[in-house]
Amino acid sequence: MQSISEIVQAMARQRGRTDTSPLALLRVLDGRAGERISHLPVGAELEQAWIAMTGEPFRPHQSQALTALRRNEPVVLRSSSANVVDTLALLGYALLSAEPGGAALALTHSLAAARTLHAQITRINERMPSALRFSITLVGEKQTNPYARLVICSAEALHGRVLRHHDRAWDLFWARLRTLLIPDIQHYAGVSGAHLADLLQRVRRTARAHGAPAAIATVATMSWIHNPETALTAALGAPWRVVNGDDDQLRETTLAVWRSGPTRLRDAADLALALQRNGYFVHIACEYLERALIVPMIGDIPAITVGTDLPETQALIVVGYPSAGNLRRLLNGGYQAVVLILGELPHEQMLARNVEALLNLPAPEWPPAPANAYVTAQHILCAANELPLTAEEVESWGATDIVERLAASQQLVDLPDSEICWKPGPEAHDPYEEFHLTAPSGSAIAAHNEQNRLIARLDPTTFERWAFSGAALPPLAGGQRVITRDEEHATITLRMESPIRRTLPLRRCTIDVRETRQTRTMVGGANLSWGRVVVEEEIYAYREQPATGAPTEVKLPVPLKVRWVAHACWFTLNNQAQVLGQQIGWSLAAALPLRSLVSITDITPAYDHEKQQLFMVDSHPGGNGAAGWLFAQAEQLLPLAYDIAYACRQDPFLEPLSRVDMDWLLALLGKAPQRSPEPVRAQLAVAPEPAKPQPSIARPTAYVPPVSTPTPTPPPVPAEDAPFIEIPPRQARPQPSRQEPPQQTRPQPTRQEPQPPRQEPPARQDPPPARQERFSIESPPVRQEPPRSSSTTPPPRNAPPPAEERPADADALVARLRRLREQREREGAQNQPIPQQKSNAARRPLAARFQANDQVFCLPYGNGTVVESRIEDEREILIVHFPEHGELEIDPAINLVRLIGESHGRVDELL
C-alpha cells in the first residue's frame, strides 16, 4: 500500500501545470508523548473501567477540571486535540455517578454535531461495564427518551422543544438536571454567542423553577483560542476556569496544502477517490452547499464520507481554509494525513503564496458577542411564554429597556398582581416559529435544488446581500447559481454550475452615524472611530467572472434595498478613492478570518465619498462584535489586509478591489515612522509626480505596527507570529545628478531630453504571451527601464538584475532562473552554428554526478540528502529528502544542485 504522501505527490506531478505544482506544502508534523498522573479522584470502579477501555493513563487536565467542577466552578477545556471529547465523557460519568438520579444536558451548535457527539458517547458507553452505563437520547430522532440520563440536543432543539415543552414531556428531566456539557463552544461566535448567553439564562431559570440546584456543573470544550475569558464571561455571565488540555498523547500527522483555484471541488473528489483506491477511509469536510456538488462527483462509495461533521477516519480532506483554531484541531485530530485545499477566496490566495504562514499564524481571537437587542427581545418573549417574567429577572438580564418597549407595543403585559410579572400580550406572535442560531431575528433561509430538495439553510444576512437572482454561492467561491428567489417564503432555488463562476454585488450605500462612542489615533496619525450607524444599501448590479472570458457587470432587473442598524468602525482617509459599486475594503474583511472567529461575510465595507471615510459595519442588525474587535486590532490587521490585496492583484475578478485596497492601505501604513510614503507611492505608480530624487529603499519583509496605547488592546504579536507583508518591488530609483558619478553601467536620461524609440536587436525575441503571464503571477512585476539613446552602451548579456528586484519566495526564484536559461538558449542558438548530430554509437553514456546519501544543497529548498539518482532521457534525476519539504524529485538542469563543500559558482553560469 502506498503512503498518503506518495499518492498526493503522484497526483501533484500529474496535475502540475508547466513548472507550477499544485502541491504547495507537504510536511510531517511531529507527535508528542503526553503527560500522565497516577490517580484521578473518581470512583474505583470507574477508574479501573476507564483505563481498561482506553488503555491510557489519566491526564493532568482531567484532574484539574474535576476538582474545579466539584467547587461549582464552570470549566472550559482549551485543547487542540480531538481527544478532549473523551475527557468530556469521563467528566460526565464522574458527575453522574456521584448522583444516581441526576441527568446531564449536552448542547451542540448544530444537528450534525449532535449526531456526531451521540455516536461518539454511545460507542464509549457500550464499552463500559453494565453497572456504569447510562441511557442516552438524541433530541430530534423519532424515539426521544425524556427520561434518559444524558440528553443531547442542538441549540434549535433546546429552544423549540426542550424549553418550550418544559412543563409537559420534559418535566421530570428539568428536575433531575445536574450537569451541562457544551462541546466546541467556540462555534458560538458573533450572533451565535448572543443566542448562547440568552439560552443559558433560560436554562438556569427553568431548572430552578423545577427544583434543580441553583449551581449546575458546566463544562465546555474548545480549540485553542487566544484570551477567551471575555467572550466566555459574556456567554455565562460569570468567570470560567480555563484548563489547558494539550497534555495527552498525539500521533504524527502529514499536512498537505493543495493550491487548487476554481477546480477545488473536483480536486477534492479526485484526491478522495485516489486515496480510496489505495485502501484508505476518507472524509471530505466542506459546507452544505459544497456537499451538494461533491457527492455527485464521488457517487455512493462507503469508504468516502462528505459533510460538515468530523468523524473518525484515516485521511481528512478540507475544502477551503478553516479558522486558525479549527485548523489546529484538525491537525491534532488523530488523522494520518490532512489535505487542505485552497480555493479562490482572497485570504486563501494569500495563503497559497505564503504557505508557511499557515503554521505560523497565532491562535485566533474570540470577539465578545455584544448585547444584541433583536436577539434578547426574542428570548425575552420565549422566557415569558415558559414562565412569568419577574422584575428581578429582567433586571439581572439587563433587559429593562427592551421589556418596556415590548410592553408599549402590547407584546408583554403585566399580570394583575402586587409583584410586577410579565406575560405575553395580545400582540405577541409565536416566538418559537422563527429561530436560527446565526440570525438576530427570523428563521433560516431554505435553499432547494431544482428537484425541490432541501440542500442547506442559509443565514438571512447571506440571503439579503449574496443570494440575489443570478448570484453564485457560496459567496466569492461559486458552484451554485441562484435561479429563483422567493422573499415572501424566504427560499431560494439553486442550480449546480460547472465550470464554476464567481459574483460580487455592486452596491450604493448611505451611512448615517447615530452615535460615536470612541475615537482614537492609530499609529501613524490616522483617525479611527467606533460607534453605531444606520446603513441604507441598494444592490443594483453584480460583477461576474465566467469560466472563460473577462469579468462583466450584470444589472439586476429589480434592485435590492436593505436597511439595518449595527455597530461600525470607520477610517478617515486623506486621499480621495475612486470607487464604483463599493468595491473597497474587502481585503480587510478577508483578513478577519485569519486572526479571529469572524467570517468574511460577517462584516460589510461601505465608503462615504463626501467625507472620505471607510466604514466596516457589522453585517447583522444589532451587531455581532466584528466591528468592535476590528477597532481594537486595526494595527495588526492592516498589514495582513495589504498582503491579501497584493496577492489578489493578478486575479482578473478581484483586481479592481485589490488595486483600490492597496491604495488606501498604503496611505495608512505609509504614515508609520518605519515606512517612507514617497517611495511607496512610486512603487504603485499612483499619480506619477515629477519629483525630486528619493533615496532607494530596500523592500521590507515584514511590517507589524505597534499597538496603539490610548486603548486597552492586546499585546503586540511576537516576531515569529508576525504576518508577512509583500510590497511590490517597483520602486522609484534615484536619477544621478550631473555632479555625481552614475550608479549604473549606462546613463539614465532625464525626462526633459527627447529619446528615440528603443530598437530591439533582431536576434532577441520576446517570450510567448502565456509564459509572460505565468511569470507575472509567480514573480513580482519587473521594473520597466526608461528608453535609452543609441549611443548608450548595452549591458553585459549575463549581468544579474539589481538586488532589490530578485524574487523573495522560492517559486518566483525558480521561475526567474528558468526564464534566464531559456533566454540564453535562444540567444545561443542564433549566434552559434548548428553542430552535426552524433550517431547513437558515438554518444557517450552520461555519468551520474550524485550518489545516494550525498549531502547536497538545492536552490531554493536548502540542504538535503540524496535518496536516489537515475538517468532519464540523458538527464540526471534526483530524489532528495529535505527536512522541511520531505522527498522531492529534483532535476539539476532546472534547480541548482551542488555537493556540500563544492565551491560556489554563479547561478547564471550553472544553468
Side-chain angles (χ1 to χ4, degrees):
M1 179 186 294
Q2 282 185 311
S3 66
I4 298 179
S5 300
E6 294 174 345
I7 298 172
V8 173
Q9 283 183 307
M11 285 200 63
R13 287 192 292 266
Q14 296 174 4
R15 299 291 179 90
R17 295 173 288 274
T18 63
D19 60 334
T20 303
S21 173
L23 185 60
L25 179 68
L26 183 63
R27 182 169 301 179
V28 177
L29 307 179
D30 297 333
R32 60 170 180 260
E35 303 176 12
R36 60 179 64 189
I37 57 176
S38 58
H39 175 70
L40 187 70
V42 294
E45 188 177 3
L46 176 61
E47 178 181 2
Q48 296 174 4
W50 191 265
I51 294 178
M53 182 186 67
T54 60
E56 294 184 357
F58 294 112
R59 305 298 179 182
H61 74 273
Q62 298 170 348
S63 176
Q64 298 174 19
L66 187 58
T67 303
L69 287 173
R70 288 176 175 173
R71 294 197 299 261
N72 293 327
E73 297 181 9
V75 174
V76 58
L77 298 172
R78 181 168 57 179
S79 173
S80 58
S81 172
N83 298 332
V84 72
V85 178
D86 296 339
T87 300
L88 187 70
L90 174 61
L91 296 176
Y93 278 102
L95 295 175
L96 291 179
S97 61
E99 294 189 31
L105 173 65
L107 177 62
T108 63
H109 62 279
S110 65
L111 181 58
R115 290 171 177 167
T116 302
L117 181 64
H118 180 264
Q120 293 175 341
I121 297 185
T122 300
R123 184 165 54 252
I124 295 175
N125 194 55
E126 292 174 350
R127 297 171 59 186
M128 295 290 287
S130 57
L132 295 177
R133 296 177 189 171
F134 48 69
S135 55
I136 306 173
T137 188
L138 175 62
V139 180
E141 299 295 336
K142 294 182 179 180
Q143 298 179 353
T144 301
N145 180 18
Y147 304 102
R149 300 196 63 192
L150 176 61
V151 176
I152 302 176
C153 67
S154 63
E156 294 185 4
L158 174 65
H159 165 80
R161 298 187 61 176
V162 182
L163 282 171
R164 182 175 190 176
H165 305 295
H166 69 95
D167 54 347
R168 284 171 278 180
W170 298 95
D171 188 11
L172 295 179
F173 166 75
W174 287 106
R176 298 180 295 114
L177 183 60
R178 299 293 183 272
T179 305
L180 180 62
L181 309 176
I182 311 176
D184 293 332
I185 197 174
Q186 75 274 2
H187 286 282
Y188 299 93
V191 174
S192 301
H195 277 296
L196 176 64
D198 292 332
L199 278 174
L200 296 182
Q201 183 78 4
R202 291 166 57 191
V203 166
R204 288 193 294 268
R205 70 188 298 266
T206 303
R208 285 195 300 266
H210 286 266
I216 298 177
T218 305
V219 55
T221 64
M222 64 188 306
S223 59
W224 193 263
I225 305 295
H226 184 64
N227 293 332
E229 290 79 6
T230 305
L232 289 171
T233 303
L236 192 62
W240 292 63
R241 170 72 181 277
V242 181
V243 177
N244 183 13
D246 281 337
D247 52 14
D248 57 344
Q249 186 178 5
L250 183 66
R251 60 181 299 178
E252 67 176 21
T253 302
T254 301
L255 171 63
V257 180
W258 190 278
R259 291 179 292 205
S260 185
T263 61
R264 68 188 191 283
L265 303 180
R266 170 56 62 183
D267 290 347
D270 293 344
L271 282 170
L273 291 172
L275 294 174
Q276 183 271 334
R277 285 192 296 266
N278 285 269
Y280 292 98
F281 290 88
V282 188
H283 177 74
I284 302 177
C286 61
E287 298 181 2
Y288 287 107
L289 292 175
E290 295 173 331
R291 182 184 184 277
L293 299 170
I294 296 177
V295 169
M297 300 179 186
I298 296 176
D300 188 10
I301 300 179
I304 302 178
T305 56
V306 185
T308 58
D309 54 339
L310 298 174
E312 296 182 1
T313 186
Q314 292 176 310
L316 178 67
I317 300 176
V318 185
V319 180
Y321 173 75
S323 64
N326 196 27
L327 178 61
R328 294 193 180 190
R329 173 67 62 85
L330 299 179
L331 296 178
N332 297 340
Y335 304 104
Q336 296 184 22
V338 175
V339 182
L340 178 61
I341 298 182
L342 299 177
E344 293 182 302
L345 291 180
H347 55 285
E348 292 179 0
Q349 294 192 35
M350 188 275 292
L351 292 175
R353 293 177 55 87
N354 304 288
V355 291
E356 292 295 335
L358 279 170
L359 303 178
N360 298 327
L361 285 175
E365 297 277 352
W366 187 356
N372 192 302
Y374 300 97
V375 173
T376 304
Q378 184 178 16
H379 287 278
I380 284 289
L381 290 174
C382 292
N385 274 272
E386 294 155 6
L387 295 167
L389 195 62
T390 63
E392 182 181 357
E393 291 175 338
V394 172
E395 185 177 356
S396 64
W397 209 319
T400 305
D401 296 339
I402 297 176
V403 170
E404 291 177 356
R405 295 179 184 178
L406 294 175
S409 61
Q410 294 297 312
Q411 298 186 57
L412 286 180
V413 295
D414 185 12
L415 294 178
D417 197 355
S418 58
E419 182 183 2
I420 298 178
C421 199
W422 302 98
K423 286 290 289 182
E427 300 296 329
H429 63 283
D430 187 359
Y432 297 95
E433 287 184 351
E434 297 183 352
F435 176 82
H436 191 252
L437 197 60
T438 60
S441 60
S443 58
I445 306 301
H448 300 270
N449 57 12
E450 294 181 287
Q451 291 74 32
N452 201 26
R453 181 179 178 181
L454 180 66
I455 59 178
R457 292 188 178 273
L458 305 180
D459 179 9
T461 302
T462 303
F463 174 75
E464 293 172 352
R465 180 167 297 105
W466 299 96
F468 47 85
S469 181
L473 295 178
L476 298 177
Q480 301 273 10
R481 183 188 184 95
V482 180
I483 57 176
T484 60
R485 170 189 171 100
D486 189 351
E487 296 188 5
E488 181 179 358
H489 299 89
T491 60
I492 58 174
T493 304
L494 303 177
R495 175 186 297 166
M496 292 188 296
E497 284 189 319
S498 182
I500 292 177
R501 67 187 183 97
R502 294 177 290 171
T503 58
L504 177 74
L506 301 180
R507 309 169 293 132
R508 301 185 186 97
C509 294
T510 303
I511 307 99
D512 180 19
V513 179
R514 288 287 182 87
E515 180 184 4
T516 302
R517 299 184 178 179
Q518 194 173 357
T519 301
R520 67 182 179 93
T521 303
M522 299 173 54
V523 174
N527 293 328
L528 180 62
S529 304
W530 177 75
R532 193 163 58 96
V533 299
V534 180
V535 183
E536 295 184 1
E537 179 183 71
E538 180 187 22
I539 302 176
Y540 63 91
Y542 61 90
R543 179 178 172 85
E544 179 183 25
Q545 172 64 61
T548 57
T552 58
E553 294 184 2
V554 181
K555 185 178 180 180
L556 293 177
V558 179
L560 303 178
K561 296 183 179 181
V562 183
R563 182 182 184 274
W564 79 99
V565 182
H567 299 101
C569 70
W570 55 93
F571 302 85
T572 301
L573 309 180
N574 294 330
N575 55 332
Q576 181 72 32
Q578 301 297 329
V579 182
L580 297 177
Q582 294 291 328
Q583 300 182 81
I584 184 174
W586 290 109
S587 299
L588 182 56
L592 268 65
L594 299 178
R595 299 297 300 273
S596 67
L597 302 182
V598 176
S599 172
I600 188 176
T601 58
D602 288 340
I603 199 162
T604 301
Y607 181 67
D608 191 332
H609 292 80
E610 296 181 359
K611 299 180 181 179
Q612 299 182 12
Q613 292 178 337
L614 176 62
F615 291 80
M616 305 298 291
V617 190
D618 289 344
S619 299
H620 297 86
N624 54 27
W629 183 79
L630 175 58
F631 175 78
Q633 301 290 333
E635 285 85 357
Q636 304 295 334
L637 293 174
L638 290 180
L640 192 58
Y642 181 84
D643 286 349
I644 295 174
Y646 182 76
C648 299
R649 71 195 188 283
Q650 299 293 343
D651 189 337
F653 178 67
L654 300 176
E655 187 272 336
L657 289 73
S658 171
R659 173 169 38 83
V660 175
D661 284 344
M662 289 173 66
D663 289 345
W664 73 267
L665 285 170
L666 278 178
L668 291 184
L669 295 175
K671 296 179 181 178
Q674 294 90 335
R675 193 181 295 271
S676 177
E678 287 78 7
V680 171
R681 284 198 298 268
Q683 289 172 3
L684 292 181
V686 178
E689 310 171 319
K692 319 162 185 183
Q694 298 292 339
S696 177
I697 57 175
R699 187 182 68 159
T701 58
Y703 171 72
V704 180
V707 179
S708 179
T709 53
T711 56
T713 57
V717 178
E720 60 271 16
D721 292 338
F724 178 80
I725 175 170
E726 269 185 313
I727 296 180
R730 292 183 292 180
Q731 300 180 359
R733 300 186 60 85
Q735 303 291 340
S737 61
R738 297 174 183 258
Q739 291 80 10
E740 298 177 353
Q743 301 291 333
Q744 299 181 356
T745 306
R746 58 191 180 206
Q748 299 291 336
T750 59
R751 295 188 180 182
Q752 289 77 12
E753 298 177 0
Q755 301 296 331
R758 181 173 179 176
Q759 301 293 333
E760 294 289 344
R764 298 287 297 270
Q765 296 181 359
D766 294 334
R771 188 167 298 277
Q772 289 180 356
E773 179 182 358
R774 185 187 71 210
F775 287 134
S776 65
I777 294 177
E778 294 299 326
S779 60
V782 180
R783 178 176 61 88
Q784 300 294 333
E785 294 288 348
R788 53 175 181 165
S789 61
S790 58
S791 61
T792 57
T793 305
R797 176 175 297 177
N798 296 330
E804 62 270 16
E805 292 182 2
R806 295 184 180 179
D809 54 88
D811 293 340
L813 181 58
V814 172
R816 171 183 167 274
L817 296 178
R818 186 175 289 105
R819 180 182 60 182
L820 293 176
R821 179 170 60 86
E822 292 175 353
Q823 291 177 355
R824 292 185 57 203
E825 290 176 354
R826 287 195 298 268
E827 295 174 4
Q830 296 178 358
N831 297 334
Q832 297 179 2
I834 302 177
Q836 297 182 356
Q837 298 183 354
K838 298 182 180 180
S839 62
N840 295 335
R843 292 181 180 176
R844 302 175 62 181
L846 179 65
R849 292 177 51 201
F850 305 95
Q851 299 179 359
N853 300 324
D854 284 350
Q855 300 295 323
V856 298
F857 171 79
C858 177
L859 193 67
Y861 302 106
N863 296 337
T865 304
V866 177
V867 179
E868 180 186 354
S869 175
R870 64 180 185 273
I871 304 299
E872 292 184 1
D873 298 332
E874 297 185 355
R875 300 171 68 178
E876 185 176 8
I877 304 298
L878 305 178
I879 303 297
V880 184
H881 174 77
F882 299 96
E884 296 184 356
H885 307 283
E887 292 187 3
L888 299 178
E889 185 177 283
I890 302 299
D891 186 353
I894 299 177
N895 301 84
L896 168 64
V897 182
R898 63 175 177 82
L899 290 171
I900 295 180
E902 289 184 347
S903 60
H904 296 267
R906 285 186 52 185
V907 176
D908 294 337
E909 296 175 353
L910 294 177
L911 294 178

